[in-house]
Amino acid sequence: MKKHRDILVIEDDEDDREILEEIFRDLGYKNNIIFFSDSTEALTYLRQPEITPFIIISDINMPKLGGFELRNIILEEEILRDKDIPYIFVSNAHDESSVKQANKLKVQGYIQKGSDYAKYKDKIKGIVDYWKENIHSFSSKGIKKQG
């Protein structure tokens, strides 16, 4: 089932990765959570035909390849676009310009990182639970069955 496939988290900040790792551990989802500190490595991973994650959670401001640029590549490359993976931005940036840019890139969510652990955890839970219940078209190519 699609809801048990991998969740990709692309976050260059080690402290933010650790917080998200703790949140996912606390939430107890059966999905494998795969962390990337470098968005170019995440892109290489996503280009593998057999890789079709459940969801991508991505920071915006990252070195080498920012979240906006990564999302744009996913939309431009047919092999990536056809995987139809929900893409969620998680960022400290919440200015109008960033939100507008994210909307132009047809993301499925944009949440602000939180300093309040419980609220941040609730935001992540809300996003993941929504996509677990949402009827969404996913390519059947390359789906790995996971328990």
Side-chain angles (χ1 to χ4, degrees):
M1 289 185 103
K2 71 175 186 169
K3 66 183 182 178
H4 293 298
R5 287 186 277 157
D6 298 342
I7 295 174
L8 271 60
V9 177
I10 307 166
E11 172 60 66
D12 65 311
D13 185 274
E14 184 176 353
D15 291 336
D16 288 342
R17 281 194 311 275
E18 288 174 2
I19 290 167
L20 284 166
E21 186 173 13
E22 184 176 338
I23 286 172
F24 279 111
R25 187 173 45 249
D26 287 352
L27 292 173
Y29 293 117
K30 293 180 181 180
N31 309 69
N32 291 324
I33 314 300
I34 301 175
F35 289 87
F36 290 94
S37 60
D38 182 327
S39 53
T40 60
E41 292 174 5
L43 182 58
T44 299
Y45 178 79
L46 285 166
R47 284 179 170 146
Q48 297 175 68
E50 70 277 8
I51 300 299
T52 309
F54 166 63
I55 195 169
I56 297 171
I57 297 173
S58 172
D59 191 11
I60 292 174
N61 299 313
M62 296 180 283
K64 295 185 186 177
L65 183 67
F68 290 146
E69 293 83 9
L70 175 60
R71 177 62 178 163
N72 195 50
I73 290 168
I74 289 171
L75 291 173
E76 288 178 349
E77 291 186 19
E78 185 176 6
I79 190 171
L80 299 175
R81 184 180 59 245
D82 286 351
K83 292 182 181 194
D84 203 19
I85 307 161
Y87 197 102
I88 312 298
F89 281 124
V90 177
S91 180
N92 285 321
H94 62 282
D95 58 282
E96 187 176 343
S97 174
S98 294
V99 173
K100 283 183 178 183
Q101 180 66 22
N103 289 335
K104 287 179 185 177
L105 294 170
K106 302 173 185 168
V107 295
Q108 287 70 43
Y110 186 121
I111 63 172
Q112 187 175 4
K113 292 177 184 178
S115 57
D116 180 313
Y117 181 82
K119 287 182 183 178
Y120 194 22
K121 180 178 160 183
D122 286 344
K123 290 178 185 180
I124 296 296
K125 182 181 185 323
I127 292 283
V128 174
D129 288 352
Y130 172 81
W131 286 104
K132 284 186 178 276
E133 295 299 322
N134 188 40
I135 298 172
H136 191 69
S137 66
F138 283 87
S139 169
S140 59
K141 298 175 191 172
I143 295 176
K144 295 190 300 186
K145 301 274 184 192
Q146 295 189 21

